């Protein structure tokens, strides 16, 4: 890429971010040229213009954004950079789009270690490469010490929709099978154990992963996908409650069929959490006609982060306000409700 | 738009943001349903999916992002919401794109007043309407008191490039006229006077504005635009120095021709600032063949925020490292250099 040659180069001899790194001057240029652009390096970013110019081979696009404020920045199974790329890639994939381009905007707190920043942008690049996307445009801002928390990252993403069908909550139909690709609750529990200093003996790592490949595999296998949704903040329950409300139907879920690892279940009991409301970063729910459930599950199980794919329930009937019913292991049915707030703050 | 009907509605009886507003539960839903979605309301946002699905009438797109951390949130001539929409619209316009779709991601500090949030999202909507863009997707996160500064906003934007030519720094040619659309330094000075409590007697307001219309007018008038760049952080000088380095040419600027209002000039003297390095939010620089300079200026002057359009200099010759020379009013030439950091932190 073309490096702009500055009039008066100054060595980047800081170990920590200072306010001047956000000021539009030489120090900001150097931070971009030495730390950030080399990590993301690609032909589009190298244009160094106010926007990235991208060529899109179709006219139906998906466009999404998320800001990431996770604490801690580094956790078992990932870091905020991996999360910021995978999270936005997954939002595109959930709309049936093939993720193509990502933006990266950093809000850095004064005093943040530059080596940590470097590690994080390199992690973003690695995750982008794995998901087949390019980081093509970005921004960085610096805020005073005490006005941030190390680093917040925003990513936006653009993808192209190659399928003819629309992947939307309103496409959910009575009789659809409800499938999840993976075991539930690992991300939130991994973060929580780490925050509480309880991760020393734990093998629970976040499920943080790109879901672009298993979703693409569903399309390639001609599965008639009605809806997809990743199970982030609020976990499986919040996701299903929201989808049931939008499509105006009742979902019935069998507690016994829910894939939750024993160590995650134990940690939830210890900490007083319900795994159905715990955030995930590599799980999604899938609605397909019941006749295609077996094929969809078999397709998913070929992918490393979807080997636990399993049907967990059914869309049973229309229901004006939407409703999610959990049939417990004891044979009791209960209506799932949105939590008021959250079990775990800042897990994404 | 379809409002999702929640199982157990709870009145939004909070005046301030609490952590639970970011938790993926009922309170987050209510914040979105009562404050944010009604402000942005449009058919695409109403799909309520992980990504917005957008139709684009061409295959060459511009994609950009910026995070906004301006302090204070409300200022003479605008607020962080207007800034966040105009800033991203302008980055698209500077790439020769017609801005179409914007995302909005909020990082809200616990304790932030909900009425201020409402005022800001309504301001975003008004600015989006004025610029002819839709806010189609978004995200909100809440961080603890002391881990933010009221509100940070990220916007990303997508626009379509309808011109055949490429608007890029590398297209700047020797002999090009260098034109600015408006007087310089108002945004940074307005913010600074307000921060210092010196704005009581001042009529200096930010130039914050969408530049989509004057740029479109240039294309409609068939002006052969070589490059456009808005003069944000670091002001005119930093912008020109960066462009000169990328295109490998020398720019010569006449100090006497630079449009700086007398009150801005006085405030700069008082505060010890150089107006050439002060941030703007409604100014851009334009490179066109000298033969088209008159037509370009006449076209710009028909627009309310470009009535001061004027040629400020010329691209004089090739120069390997790029160089910007200011010919002062006293007849002395000096080389402009990037400041190390910034004169004014957090002005955008």
């Amino acid at each position: 890429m073309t490096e702009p040659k500055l009039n008066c180069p100054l060595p980047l001899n800081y170990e920590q971010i200072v306010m001047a790194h956000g000021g539009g001057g030489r120090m900001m240029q150097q931070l971009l040229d030495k730390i950030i652009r080399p990590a993301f390096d690609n032909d589009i970013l190298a244009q160094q213009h106010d926007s990235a110019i991208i060529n899109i081979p179709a006219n139906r696009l998906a466009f999404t954004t998320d800001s990431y404020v996770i604490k801690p920045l580094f956790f078992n199974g990932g870091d905020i950079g991996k999360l910021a790329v995978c999270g936005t890639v997954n939002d595109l994939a959930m709309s049936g789009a093939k993720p193509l381009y990502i933006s990266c905007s950093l809000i850095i707190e004064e005093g943040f270690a530059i080596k940590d920043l470097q590690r994080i942008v390199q992690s973003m690049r690695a995750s982008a490469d794995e998901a087949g996307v390019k980081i093509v445009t970005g921004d960085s801002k610096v805020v005073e010490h005490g006005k941030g928390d190390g680093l917040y990252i925003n990513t936006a993403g653009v993808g192209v929709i190659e399928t003819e069908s629309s992947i939307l909550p309103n496409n959910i139909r009575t009789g659809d099978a409800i499938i999840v690709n993976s075991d539930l609750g690992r991300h939130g529990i991994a973060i929580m154990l780490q925050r509480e200093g309880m991760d020393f003996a734990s093998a629970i790592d976040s499920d943080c992963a790109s879901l672009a490949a298993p979703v693409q595999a569903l399309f390639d296998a001609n599965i008639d996908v009605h809806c997809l949704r990743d199970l982030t903040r609020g976990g499986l329950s919040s996701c299903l409650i929201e989808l049931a409300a939008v499509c105006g139907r009742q979902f019935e879920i069998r507690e016994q069929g829910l894939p939750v690892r024993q160590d995650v279940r134990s940690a939830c009991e210890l900490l007083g959490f319900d795994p159905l409301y715990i955030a995930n970063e590599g799980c999604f729910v899938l609605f397909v006609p019941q006749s295609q459930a077996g094929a969809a599950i078999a397709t998913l199980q070929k992918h490393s982060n979807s080997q636990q794919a399993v049907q967990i329930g059914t869309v049973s009937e229309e229901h004006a306000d939407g409703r999610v019913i959990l049939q417990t292991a004891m044979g009791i049915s209960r209506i799932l409700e949105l939590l008021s707030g959250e079990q775990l703050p800042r897990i994404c």
Side-chain angles (χ1 to χ4, degrees), chain A residues 62-102:
Chain A
F63 175 39
T64 191
T65 190
D66 264 315
S67 287
Y68 297 86
V69 299
I70 191 168
K71 184 169 68 171
L73 298 177
F74 300 95
F75 51 84
N76 279 342
D79 58 61
I80 189 173
K82 179 181 181 185
L83 183 68
V85 171
C86 292
T88 290
V89 160
N90 292 350
D91 278 346
L92 294 172
M94 293 304 119
S95 295
K98 182 179 171 184
L100 293 176
Y101 301 108
I102 298 278

mmCIF file of all heavy atoms in Angstrom, chain A residues 62-102:
data_model
loop_
_atom_site.group_PDB
_atom_site.id
_atom_site.type_symbol
_atom_site.label_atom_id
_atom_site.label_comp_id
_atom_site.label_asym_id
_atom_site.label_seq_id
_atom_site.Cartn_x
_atom_site.Cartn_y
_atom_site.Cartn_z
ATOM 1 N N ALA A 62 -27.055 -6.423 2.452
ATOM 2 C CA ALA A 62 -27.336 -6.318 3.882
ATOM 3 C C ALA A 62 -26.336 -5.335 4.477
ATOM 4 O O ALA A 62 -25.179 -5.278 4.054
ATOM 5 C CB ALA A 62 -27.198 -7.682 4.544
ATOM 6 N N PHE A 63 -26.795 -4.560 5.459
ATOM 7 C CA PHE A 63 -25.980 -3.497 6.064
ATOM 8 C C PHE A 63 -26.282 -3.535 7.558
ATOM 9 O O PHE A 63 -27.453 -3.538 7.950
ATOM 10 C CB PHE A 63 -26.394 -2.160 5.434
ATOM 11 C CG PHE A 63 -25.752 -0.925 6.008
ATOM 12 C CD1 PHE A 63 -24.414 -0.909 6.396
ATOM 13 C CD2 PHE A 63 -26.487 0.249 6.152
ATOM 14 C CE1 PHE A 63 -23.837 0.247 6.906
ATOM 15 C CE2 PHE A 63 -25.913 1.409 6.654
ATOM 16 C CZ PHE A 63 -24.587 1.405 7.036
ATOM 17 N N THR A 64 -25.247 -3.598 8.368
ATOM 18 C CA THR A 64 -25.471 -3.737 9.811
ATOM 19 C C THR A 64 -24.363 -3.064 10.599
ATOM 20 O O THR A 64 -23.318 -2.727 10.044
ATOM 21 C CB THR A 64 -25.571 -5.230 10.198
ATOM 22 O OG1 THR A 64 -26.042 -5.335 11.547
ATOM 23 C CG2 THR A 64 -24.211 -5.921 10.115
ATOM 24 N N THR A 65 -24.592 -2.867 11.884
ATOM 25 C CA THR A 65 -23.556 -2.297 12.747
ATOM 26 C C THR A 65 -23.733 -2.788 14.175
ATOM 27 O O THR A 65 -24.845 -3.126 14.594
ATOM 28 C CB THR A 65 -23.607 -0.756 12.728
ATOM 29 O OG1 THR A 65 -22.438 -0.242 13.385
ATOM 30 C CG2 THR A 65 -24.828 -0.222 13.468
ATOM 31 N N ASP A 66 -22.631 -2.822 14.919
ATOM 32 C CA ASP A 66 -22.662 -3.067 16.357
ATOM 33 C C ASP A 66 -21.469 -2.388 16.999
ATOM 34 O O ASP A 66 -20.384 -2.341 16.411
ATOM 35 C CB ASP A 66 -22.593 -4.579 16.673
ATOM 36 C CG ASP A 66 -23.970 -5.192 16.883
ATOM 37 O OD1 ASP A 66 -24.792 -4.575 17.591
ATOM 38 O OD2 ASP A 66 -24.224 -6.283 16.348
ATOM 39 N N SER A 67 -21.685 -1.876 18.195
ATOM 40 C CA SER A 67 -20.567 -1.401 19.002
ATOM 41 C C SER A 67 -20.277 -2.455 20.060
ATOM 42 O O SER A 67 -21.189 -3.099 20.574
ATOM 43 C CB SER A 67 -20.919 -0.070 19.677
ATOM 44 O OG SER A 67 -20.918 0.965 18.719
ATOM 45 N N TYR A 68 -19.003 -2.597 20.392
ATOM 46 C CA TYR A 68 -18.574 -3.627 21.336
ATOM 47 C C TYR A 68 -17.916 -2.969 22.537
ATOM 48 O O TYR A 68 -16.982 -2.174 22.387
ATOM 49 C CB TYR A 68 -17.640 -4.618 20.633
ATOM 50 C CG TYR A 68 -18.372 -5.321 19.519
ATOM 51 C CD1 TYR A 68 -18.446 -4.759 18.247
ATOM 52 C CD2 TYR A 68 -19.072 -6.490 19.763
ATOM 53 C CE1 TYR A 68 -19.181 -5.363 17.236
ATOM 54 C CE2 TYR A 68 -19.806 -7.110 18.757
ATOM 55 C CZ TYR A 68 -19.856 -6.539 17.493
ATOM 56 O OH TYR A 68 -20.598 -7.136 16.506
ATOM 57 N N VAL A 69 -18.448 -3.292 23.729
ATOM 58 C CA VAL A 69 -17.965 -2.660 24.965
ATOM 59 C C VAL A 69 -17.612 -3.748 25.991
ATOM 60 O O VAL A 69 -17.673 -3.522 27.184
ATOM 61 C CB VAL A 69 -19.036 -1.692 25.538
ATOM 62 C CG1 VAL A 69 -19.335 -0.575 24.542
ATOM 63 C CG2 VAL A 69 -20.327 -2.414 25.915
ATOM 64 N N ILE A 70 -17.247 -4.918 25.487
ATOM 65 C CA ILE A 70 -17.031 -6.068 26.375
ATOM 66 C C ILE A 70 -15.913 -5.800 27.386
ATOM 67 O O ILE A 70 -14.943 -5.109 27.095
ATOM 68 C CB ILE A 70 -16.731 -7.343 25.559
ATOM 69 C CG1 ILE A 70 -16.774 -8.573 26.453
ATOM 70 C CG2 ILE A 70 -15.397 -7.222 24.832
ATOM 71 C CD1 ILE A 70 -16.784 -9.885 25.695
ATOM 72 N N LYS A 71 -16.088 -6.386 28.546
ATOM 73 C CA LYS A 71 -15.111 -6.287 29.634
ATOM 74 C C LYS A 71 -14.950 -7.666 30.229
ATOM 75 O O LYS A 71 -15.961 -8.243 30.644
ATOM 76 C CB LYS A 71 -15.658 -5.314 30.693
ATOM 77 C CG LYS A 71 -14.755 -5.024 31.844
ATOM 78 C CD LYS A 71 -15.282 -3.874 32.670
ATOM 79 C CE LYS A 71 -16.571 -4.222 33.406
ATOM 80 N NZ LYS A 71 -16.998 -3.217 34.380
ATOM 81 N N PRO A 72 -13.777 -8.270 30.303
ATOM 82 C CA PRO A 72 -12.471 -7.736 29.886
ATOM 83 C C PRO A 72 -12.273 -7.799 28.363
ATOM 84 O O PRO A 72 -12.998 -8.518 27.681
ATOM 85 C CB PRO A 72 -11.500 -8.670 30.594
ATOM 86 C CG PRO A 72 -12.217 -9.975 30.650
ATOM 87 C CD PRO A 72 -13.672 -9.632 30.858
ATOM 88 N N LEU A 73 -11.241 -7.075 27.902
ATOM 89 C CA LEU A 73 -10.983 -7.027 26.460
ATOM 90 C C LEU A 73 -10.438 -8.340 25.912
ATOM 91 O O LEU A 73 -10.644 -8.666 24.754
ATOM 92 C CB LEU A 73 -9.993 -5.891 26.150
ATOM 93 C CG LEU A 73 -10.469 -4.484 26.501
ATOM 94 C CD1 LEU A 73 -9.364 -3.467 26.217
ATOM 95 C CD2 LEU A 73 -11.728 -4.115 25.731
ATOM 96 N N PHE A 74 -9.704 -9.057 26.774
ATOM 97 C CA PHE A 74 -9.172 -10.371 26.379
ATOM 98 C C PHE A 74 -9.852 -11.414 27.256
ATOM 99 O O PHE A 74 -9.921 -11.242 28.468
ATOM 100 C CB PHE A 74 -7.654 -10.427 26.578
ATOM 101 C CG PHE A 74 -6.920 -9.395 25.755
ATOM 102 C CD1 PHE A 74 -6.579 -8.169 26.299
ATOM 103 C CD2 PHE A 74 -6.572 -9.654 24.431
ATOM 104 C CE1 PHE A 74 -5.905 -7.212 25.544
ATOM 105 C CE2 PHE A 74 -5.909 -8.705 23.668
ATOM 106 C CZ PHE A 74 -5.571 -7.481 24.218
ATOM 107 N N PHE A 75 -10.352 -12.461 26.646
ATOM 108 C CA PHE A 75 -11.070 -13.475 27.419
ATOM 109 C C PHE A 75 -10.787 -14.863 26.848
ATOM 110 O O PHE A 75 -10.226 -14.989 25.753
ATOM 111 C CB PHE A 75 -12.573 -13.178 27.426
ATOM 112 C CG PHE A 75 -13.160 -12.941 26.052
ATOM 113 C CD1 PHE A 75 -13.559 -14.014 25.255
ATOM 114 C CD2 PHE A 75 -13.302 -11.651 25.553
ATOM 115 C CE1 PHE A 75 -14.093 -13.789 23.987
ATOM 116 C CE2 PHE A 75 -13.836 -11.437 24.277
ATOM 117 C CZ PHE A 75 -14.228 -12.497 23.497
ATOM 118 N N ASN A 76 -11.154 -15.881 27.604
ATOM 119 C CA ASN A 76 -10.976 -17.257 27.125
ATOM 120 C C ASN A 76 -11.719 -17.467 25.822
ATOM 121 O O ASN A 76 -12.938 -17.364 25.788
ATOM 122 C CB ASN A 76 -11.547 -18.254 28.152
ATOM 123 C CG ASN A 76 -10.594 -18.518 29.294
ATOM 124 O OD1 ASN A 76 -9.401 -18.247 29.193
ATOM 125 N ND2 ASN A 76 -11.122 -19.028 30.400
ATOM 126 N N GLY A 77 -10.974 -17.709 24.756
ATOM 127 C CA GLY A 77 -11.631 -17.989 23.478
ATOM 128 C C GLY A 77 -11.708 -16.795 22.556
ATOM 129 O O GLY A 77 -12.279 -16.887 21.460
ATOM 130 N N GLY A 78 -11.150 -15.648 22.972
ATOM 131 C CA GLY A 78 -11.201 -14.511 22.054
ATOM 132 C C GLY A 78 -10.809 -13.202 22.691
ATOM 133 O O GLY A 78 -10.226 -13.165 23.779
ATOM 134 N N ASP A 79 -11.091 -12.132 22.014
ATOM 135 C CA ASP A 79 -10.846 -10.784 22.505
ATOM 136 C C ASP A 79 -11.835 -9.860 21.798
ATOM 137 O O ASP A 79 -12.570 -10.290 20.907
ATOM 138 C CB ASP A 79 -9.386 -10.353 22.239
ATOM 139 C CG ASP A 79 -9.046 -10.413 20.767
ATOM 140 O OD1 ASP A 79 -9.691 -9.699 19.964
ATOM 141 O OD2 ASP A 79 -8.145 -11.185 20.392
ATOM 142 N N ILE A 80 -11.855 -8.590 22.199
ATOM 143 C CA ILE A 80 -12.844 -7.658 21.652
ATOM 144 C C ILE A 80 -12.719 -7.522 20.129
ATOM 145 O O ILE A 80 -13.708 -7.289 19.436
ATOM 146 C CB ILE A 80 -12.737 -6.271 22.356
ATOM 147 C CG1 ILE A 80 -13.902 -5.356 21.943
ATOM 148 C CG2 ILE A 80 -11.391 -5.612 22.099
ATOM 149 C CD1 ILE A 80 -13.969 -4.042 22.713
ATOM 150 N N GLY A 81 -11.504 -7.701 19.604
ATOM 151 C CA GLY A 81 -11.314 -7.579 18.154
ATOM 152 C C GLY A 81 -11.980 -8.723 17.398
ATOM 153 O O GLY A 81 -12.717 -8.504 16.426
ATOM 154 N N LYS A 82 -11.725 -9.946 17.857
ATOM 155 C CA LYS A 82 -12.368 -11.108 17.243
ATOM 156 C C LYS A 82 -13.892 -10.983 17.350
ATOM 157 O O LYS A 82 -14.628 -11.214 16.387
ATOM 158 C CB LYS A 82 -11.890 -12.378 17.955
ATOM 159 C CG LYS A 82 -12.510 -13.663 17.430
ATOM 160 C CD LYS A 82 -11.999 -14.889 18.193
ATOM 161 C CE LYS A 82 -12.614 -16.173 17.639
ATOM 162 N NZ LYS A 82 -12.212 -17.359 18.438
ATOM 163 N N LEU A 83 -14.355 -10.586 18.541
ATOM 164 C CA LEU A 83 -15.787 -10.421 18.777
ATOM 165 C C LEU A 83 -16.396 -9.395 17.822
ATOM 166 O O LEU A 83 -17.482 -9.603 17.262
ATOM 167 C CB LEU A 83 -15.990 -9.958 20.222
ATOM 168 C CG LEU A 83 -17.416 -9.792 20.719
ATOM 169 C CD1 LEU A 83 -18.100 -11.140 20.827
ATOM 170 C CD2 LEU A 83 -17.428 -9.096 22.081
ATOM 171 N N ALA A 84 -15.674 -8.277 17.631
ATOM 172 C CA ALA A 84 -16.211 -7.180 16.805
ATOM 173 C C ALA A 84 -16.319 -7.588 15.342
ATOM 174 O O ALA A 84 -17.232 -7.143 14.639
ATOM 175 C CB ALA A 84 -15.345 -5.933 16.949
ATOM 176 N N VAL A 85 -15.391 -8.418 14.878
ATOM 177 C CA VAL A 85 -15.480 -8.898 13.493
ATOM 178 C C VAL A 85 -16.549 -9.990 13.382
ATOM 179 O O VAL A 85 -17.448 -9.921 12.538
ATOM 180 C CB VAL A 85 -14.116 -9.395 12.982
ATOM 181 C CG1 VAL A 85 -14.262 -10.092 11.627
ATOM 182 C CG2 VAL A 85 -13.148 -8.221 12.870
ATOM 183 N N CYS A 86 -16.470 -10.992 14.261
ATOM 184 C CA CYS A 86 -17.422 -12.115 14.172
ATOM 185 C C CYS A 86 -18.852 -11.641 14.402
ATOM 186 O O CYS A 86 -19.786 -12.096 13.723
ATOM 187 C CB CYS A 86 -17.075 -13.196 15.195
ATOM 188 S SG CYS A 86 -15.530 -14.045 14.824
ATOM 189 N N GLY A 87 -19.050 -10.731 15.341
ATOM 190 C CA GLY A 87 -20.406 -10.265 15.647
ATOM 191 C C GLY A 87 -21.069 -9.627 14.438
ATOM 192 O O GLY A 87 -22.248 -9.887 14.150
ATOM 193 N N THR A 88 -20.328 -8.807 13.735
ATOM 194 C CA THR A 88 -20.909 -8.121 12.575
ATOM 195 C C THR A 88 -21.023 -9.061 11.373
ATOM 196 O O THR A 88 -22.019 -9.033 10.644
ATOM 197 C CB THR A 88 -20.101 -6.835 12.294
ATOM 198 O OG1 THR A 88 -20.396 -5.918 13.366
ATOM 199 C CG2 THR A 88 -20.474 -6.197 10.979
ATOM 200 N N VAL A 89 -20.028 -9.904 11.190
ATOM 201 C CA VAL A 89 -20.131 -10.955 10.161
ATOM 202 C C VAL A 89 -21.393 -11.797 10.404
ATOM 203 O O VAL A 89 -22.159 -12.097 9.479
ATOM 204 C CB VAL A 89 -18.859 -11.837 10.180
ATOM 205 C CG1 VAL A 89 -19.097 -13.188 9.509
ATOM 206 C CG2 VAL A 89 -17.696 -11.098 9.509
ATOM 207 N N ASN A 90 -21.625 -12.144 11.668
ATOM 208 C CA ASN A 90 -22.773 -12.997 11.984
ATOM 209 C C ASN A 90 -24.103 -12.274 11.739
ATOM 210 O O ASN A 90 -25.062 -12.890 11.269
ATOM 211 C CB ASN A 90 -22.681 -13.479 13.430
ATOM 212 C CG ASN A 90 -21.525 -14.448 13.619
ATOM 213 O OD1 ASN A 90 -20.921 -14.902 12.637
ATOM 214 N ND2 ASN A 90 -21.198 -14.772 14.854
ATOM 215 N N ASP A 91 -24.160 -10.983 12.042
ATOM 216 C CA ASP A 91 -25.395 -10.239 11.765
ATOM 217 C C ASP A 91 -25.693 -10.233 10.265
ATOM 218 O O ASP A 91 -26.859 -10.303 9.855
ATOM 219 C CB ASP A 91 -25.293 -8.794 12.280
ATOM 220 C CG ASP A 91 -25.586 -8.707 13.777
ATOM 221 O OD1 ASP A 91 -26.114 -9.679 14.346
ATOM 222 O OD2 ASP A 91 -25.285 -7.657 14.370
ATOM 223 N N LEU A 92 -24.665 -10.130 9.453
ATOM 224 C CA LEU A 92 -24.872 -10.197 8.001
ATOM 225 C C LEU A 92 -25.333 -11.601 7.598
ATOM 226 O O LEU A 92 -26.298 -11.753 6.840
ATOM 227 C CB LEU A 92 -23.583 -9.835 7.255
ATOM 228 C CG LEU A 92 -23.103 -8.389 7.413
ATOM 229 C CD1 LEU A 92 -21.722 -8.221 6.795
ATOM 230 C CD2 LEU A 92 -24.082 -7.407 6.783
ATOM 231 N N ALA A 93 -24.654 -12.612 8.137
ATOM 232 C CA ALA A 93 -25.007 -13.992 7.791
ATOM 233 C C ALA A 93 -26.454 -14.301 8.184
ATOM 234 O O ALA A 93 -27.175 -14.996 7.447
ATOM 235 C CB ALA A 93 -24.042 -14.970 8.467
ATOM 236 N N MET A 94 -26.894 -13.769 9.310
ATOM 237 C CA MET A 94 -28.258 -14.032 9.793
ATOM 238 C C MET A 94 -29.316 -13.419 8.876
ATOM 239 O O MET A 94 -30.484 -13.779 8.931
ATOM 240 C CB MET A 94 -28.452 -13.490 11.212
ATOM 241 C CG MET A 94 -27.623 -14.211 12.264
ATOM 242 S SD MET A 94 -27.905 -16.001 12.310
ATOM 243 C CE MET A 94 -26.268 -16.621 11.913
ATOM 244 N N SER A 95 -28.920 -12.461 8.059
ATOM 245 C CA SER A 95 -29.852 -11.894 7.080
ATOM 246 C C SER A 95 -29.753 -12.618 5.736
ATOM 247 O O SER A 95 -30.318 -12.160 4.748
ATOM 248 C CB SER A 95 -29.545 -10.409 6.875
ATOM 249 O OG SER A 95 -29.799 -9.710 8.073
ATOM 250 N N GLY A 96 -29.012 -13.706 5.714
ATOM 251 C CA GLY A 96 -28.871 -14.464 4.480
ATOM 252 C C GLY A 96 -27.850 -13.873 3.540
ATOM 253 O O GLY A 96 -27.802 -14.233 2.367
ATOM 254 N N ALA A 97 -27.030 -12.956 4.046
ATOM 255 C CA ALA A 97 -26.049 -12.294 3.186
ATOM 256 C C ALA A 97 -24.691 -12.964 3.282
ATOM 257 O O ALA A 97 -24.338 -13.538 4.310
ATOM 258 C CB ALA A 97 -25.913 -10.825 3.581
ATOM 259 N N LYS A 98 -23.931 -12.859 2.213
ATOM 260 C CA LYS A 98 -22.527 -13.260 2.243
ATOM 261 C C LYS A 98 -21.737 -12.041 2.692
ATOM 262 O O LYS A 98 -21.705 -11.017 1.992
ATOM 263 C CB LYS A 98 -22.104 -13.675 0.834
ATOM 264 C CG LYS A 98 -20.676 -14.154 0.739
ATOM 265 C CD LYS A 98 -20.362 -14.575 -0.693
ATOM 266 C CE LYS A 98 -18.868 -14.851 -0.830
ATOM 267 N NZ LYS A 98 -18.513 -15.169 -2.214
ATOM 268 N N PRO A 99 -21.104 -12.094 3.875
ATOM 269 C CA PRO A 99 -20.367 -10.922 4.381
ATOM 270 C C PRO A 99 -19.183 -10.597 3.474
ATOM 271 O O PRO A 99 -18.462 -11.494 3.041
ATOM 272 C CB PRO A 99 -19.881 -11.388 5.764
ATOM 273 C CG PRO A 99 -20.722 -12.574 6.117
ATOM 274 C CD PRO A 99 -21.061 -13.232 4.820
ATOM 275 N N LEU A 100 -18.998 -9.316 3.164
ATOM 276 C CA LEU A 100 -17.911 -8.916 2.262
ATOM 277 C C LEU A 100 -16.974 -7.876 2.885
ATOM 278 O O LEU A 100 -15.766 -8.042 2.867
ATOM 279 C CB LEU A 100 -18.489 -8.328 0.970
ATOM 280 C CG LEU A 100 -19.244 -9.273 0.047
ATOM 281 C CD1 LEU A 100 -19.819 -8.494 -1.123
ATOM 282 C CD2 LEU A 100 -18.316 -10.379 -0.447
ATOM 283 N N TYR A 101 -17.544 -6.785 3.393
ATOM 284 C CA TYR A 101 -16.725 -5.658 3.834
ATOM 285 C C TYR A 101 -17.116 -5.215 5.235
ATOM 286 O O TYR A 101 -18.297 -5.173 5.577
ATOM 287 C CB TYR A 101 -16.884 -4.485 2.870
ATOM 288 C CG TYR A 101 -16.479 -4.823 1.464
ATOM 289 C CD1 TYR A 101 -17.421 -4.964 0.461
ATOM 290 C CD2 TYR A 101 -15.138 -5.041 1.152
ATOM 291 C CE1 TYR A 101 -17.054 -5.298 -0.833
ATOM 292 C CE2 TYR A 101 -14.762 -5.374 -0.138
ATOM 293 C CZ TYR A 101 -15.713 -5.497 -1.127
ATOM 294 O OH TYR A 101 -15.336 -5.830 -2.396
ATOM 295 N N ILE A 102 -16.087 -4.840 6.001
ATOM 296 C CA ILE A 102 -16.275 -4.440 7.399
ATOM 297 C C ILE A 102 -15.588 -3.090 7.604
ATOM 298 O O ILE A 102 -14.543 -2.824 7.019
ATOM 299 C CB ILE A 102 -15.623 -5.504 8.329
ATOM 300 C CG1 ILE A 102 -16.295 -6.876 8.161
ATOM 301 C CG2 ILE A 102 -15.622 -5.071 9.779
ATOM 302 C CD1 ILE A 102 -17.558 -7.068 8.918
#
